Amino acid sequence: MFTKLFPVAEEVSMNADPAEETISVSINQDEQPFWGALTRWCIYLIAFFVPLWFLPIAGISVDEHKLFFVSVLTFLGFITWLGVTIHAGAFRVPRHIALYALGVWVVVYLLAAIFSISPETSFWGASAASSFSILVGALLVFVSTVAFRTAREIHTAYILILAAAAVS
């Protein structure tokens, strides 16, 4: 069971030259670590339940419930992805112009919230235009890009979205 949670690296190679101290660790791709699967399942749950998530109770709007649900699962997915990268010893982030643009967009929203007339509403408001909502959305996009590695995983997310649309 321990190897399911933390798979053992297959090969560890170190350069003989002490000036180049690089370590390369590779994990068997057939063995998916538990935390990597948990990251994907957080995104799968978001894909399936957000179209169905409506709880008009306690005087709180539906948007606030959805934002809370997506925020919790997004942060959980991000934390589990960090656990996988720390365990694997390889911090790999896709270098794509869209992710750079997304980072700039988040920074612009944060700056706009800082210099806003009412910064607390701009940071923590329940609208989709608040900085927190933009940050959660950007984090969800980032976690999705690093968690989905195969076409099968992306296909599963699409099937869940279509199933939720069919149910709703």
Side-chain angles (χ1 to χ4, degrees):
M1 177 168 158
F2 186 73
T3 59
K4 288 285 186 187
L5 294 176
F6 302 101
V8 180
E10 272 188 353
E11 72 179 56
V12 176
S13 63
M14 294 182 67
N15 291 339
D17 186 14
E20 295 181 18
E21 294 184 14
T22 60
I23 300 175
S24 158
V25 178
S26 73
I27 293 177
N28 186 1
Q29 292 299 325
D30 295 334
E31 277 188 36
Q32 291 290 332
F34 172 76
W35 303 111
L38 186 61
T39 302
R40 281 189 303 281
W41 273 101
C42 287
I43 298 169
Y44 290 156
L45 288 174
I46 290 170
F48 183 72
F49 283 116
V50 166
L52 304 174
W53 192 263
F54 53 93
L55 296 173
I57 58 174
I60 301 173
S61 71
V62 176
D63 292 339
E64 291 175 15
H65 284 286
K66 284 186 180 184
L67 179 62
F68 176 75
F69 179 70
V70 170
S71 301
V72 167
L73 285 177
T74 301
F75 287 126
L76 180 66
F78 182 71
I79 289 169
T80 56
W81 173 77
L82 281 177
V84 168
T85 58
I86 289 170
H87 175 70
F91 187 77
R92 293 191 181 116
V93 177
R95 292 187 177 149
H96 196 272
I97 190 83
L99 287 178
Y100 292 134
L102 187 64
V104 170
W105 188 40
V106 169
V107 169
V108 167
Y109 261 88
L110 288 174
L111 288 174
I114 289 171
F115 296 113
S116 173
I117 294 173
S118 84
E120 62 277 350
T121 305
S122 296
F123 277 117
W124 307 109
S127 72
S130 69
S131 292
F132 181 72
S133 299
I134 298 298
L135 179 66
V136 167
L139 199 59
L140 180 60
V141 169
F142 173 76
V143 170
S144 298
T145 58
V146 296
F148 294 150
R149 296 177 185 255
T150 64
R152 181 175 174 244
E153 295 165 352
I154 296 170
H155 180 70
T156 304
Y158 283 147
I159 293 296
L160 289 171
I161 292 169
L162 290 174
V167 169
S168 66

